[in-house]
């Protein structure tokens, strides 16, 4: 899509500069930061035309929460099988997937989104099951940085300290994590169709987490199937056997060695954040995330 065509959709180009002088490019839609990705610029203005089905399910999170893993776990629950499926989260990601791909997907669709609620189809937020995934924001900041650095198309090459400052200010795709998360929670906290679950909860006890998700979806599973799903969705198997490049995604999407699967560990962030950065994050968590079940 040419730059003139993008502007006609209400999308604008913007760059945020870190202290290292490296630009982090984004597109902005109605003042909101989205990925610097032509697919996103094309899909977002058309999102209100998506036809929502009665059995659609929404998986919602800020980027870096571990949604690829949860997508795989939940897809197996819905199918009642631990057999590997060809779909990945991006095939049903409302943020950028072509509308025709959504329309051709078989039901029930496990839709996913990182966008703020105001951009999502209102019908989807009313009478549909929603799984709200959250994670320690320290880990999410690191994971999202590695996502951005691993993809050639995002054109970002800043160092982590510079990125961290931008992330804390919300000068990144999808904006401020804390505002993003609290806004969605406040909108959904009294909705009985919403399940809040954390990456740490899944990591600590996968069987218990699987049971929570399965029961929430009205798809209880046997202990034998749960064990098989846990085995198939181990980090090593996901990383080695679950392809991420799709037909509609540019072949040069990733840099050499780039991936969306990193360590899969809960405390990898400790290797990235300095004590000062961790303290800054703690202060923000205390002031913004006073909701116990969110973290």
């Amino acid at each position: 899509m040419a730059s003139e065509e993008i502007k006609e959709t209400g999308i604008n180009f913007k760059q945020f500069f870190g202290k290292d002088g490296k630009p982090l490019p984004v597109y902005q839609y109605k003042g909101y930061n989205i990925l610097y990705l032509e697919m996103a610029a094309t899909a977002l203005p058309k999102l209100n035309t998506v036809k929502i089905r009665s059995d659609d399910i929404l998986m919602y999170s800020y980027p870096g929460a571990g949604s690829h893993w949860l997508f795989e776990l939940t897809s197996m629950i819905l199918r009642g099988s631990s057999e590997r499926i060809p779909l990945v989260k991006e095939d049903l990601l409302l943020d950028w997937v072509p509308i025709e791909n959504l329309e051709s997907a078989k039901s029930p669709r496990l839709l996913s989104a990182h966008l703020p609620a105001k951009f999502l189809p209102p019908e989807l937020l009313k009478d549909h099951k929603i799984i709200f995934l959250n994670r320690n924001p320290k880990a999410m900041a690191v994971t999202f940085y590695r996502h951005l650095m691993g993809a050639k198309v995002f054109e970002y090459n800043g160092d982590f300290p510079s990125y961290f400052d931008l992330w804390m200010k919300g000068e990144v795709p999808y904006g401020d994590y804390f505002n993003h998360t609290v806004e969605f929670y406040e909108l959904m906290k009294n909705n009985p169709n919403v399940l809040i679950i954390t990456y740490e909860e899944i990591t600590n006890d996968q069987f218990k987490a699987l049971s929570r998700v399965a029961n929430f979806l009205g798809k209880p599973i046997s202990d034998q199937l749960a064990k098989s799903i846990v085995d198939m969705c181990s980090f090593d198997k996901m990383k080695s056997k679950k392809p991420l490049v799709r037909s509609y995604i540019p072949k040069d999407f990733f840099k050499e060695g780039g991936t969306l699967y990193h360590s899969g560990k809960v405390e990898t962030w400790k290797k990235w954040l300095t004590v000062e950065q961790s303290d800054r994050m703690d202060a923000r968590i205390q002031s913004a995330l006073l909701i116990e079940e969110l973290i």
Side-chain angles (χ1 to χ4, degrees), residues 210-236:
L210 275 176
S211 180
R212 280 195 70 202
V213 173
N215 291 333
F216 170 72
L217 296 175
K219 299 280 186 179
I221 57 177
S222 66
D223 291 344
Q224 182 177 357
L225 178 56
K227 183 178 179 180
S228 183
I229 290 175
V230 168
D231 176 65
M232 285 296 288
C233 293
S234 68
F235 180 79
D236 289 340

Side-chain angles (χ1 to χ4, degrees), residues 132 182-194 196 291 293:
F132 182 12
V182 172
E183 284 176 4
F184 194 78
Y185 174 82
E186 290 296 333
L187 183 64
M188 294 291 150
K189 63 182 179 182
N190 295 319
N191 186 336
N193 290 319
V194 176
I196 297 175
I291 306 150
E293 63 184 323

Side-chain angles (χ1 to χ4, degrees), residues 34 43 95 108 149 222 289:
I34 63 172
D95 303 27
M149 289 293 290
S222 66
L289 293 184

Side-chain angles (χ1 to χ4, degrees), residues 70-132:
L70 183 58
F71 179 89
E72 194 77 358
L73 293 167
T74 305
S75 294
M76 290 183 179
I77 290 171
L78 290 171
R79 295 176 65 254
S81 169
S82 60
E83 182 181 351
R84 184 77 66 198
I85 61 172
L87 289 177
V88 295
K89 184 193 80 172
E90 282 71 21
D91 287 313
L92 297 170
L93 182 62
L94 296 176
D95 303 27
W96 75 40
V97 71
I99 301 298
E100 55 270 23
N101 291 50
L102 290 173
E103 293 177 345
S104 64
K106 295 180 180 180
S107 293
R109 297 183 301 187
L110 180 57
L111 305 175
S112 61
H114 303 308
L115 295 166
K118 64 183 178 182
F119 294 143
L120 299 178
E123 181 185 351
L124 185 60
L125 303 179
K126 291 179 180 178
D127 302 313
H128 291 73
K129 296 285 187 179
I130 299 172
I131 303 174
F132 182 12

Side-chain angles (χ1 to χ4, degrees), residues 233-249:
C233 293
S234 68
F235 180 79
D236 289 340
K237 286 188 176 180
M238 286 281 291
K239 188 170 184 176
S240 64
K241 298 181 180 180
K242 192 68 178 182
L244 291 171
V245 177
R246 318 309 290 167
S247 61
Y248 63 91
I249 294 178

Side-chain angles (χ1 to χ4, degrees), residues 262-275:
H262 304 296
S263 72
K265 301 183 185 302
V266 172
E267 297 189 339
T268 300
W269 64 267
K270 292 183 178 180
K271 298 180 180 180
W272 289 78
L273 270 65
T274 64
V275 173

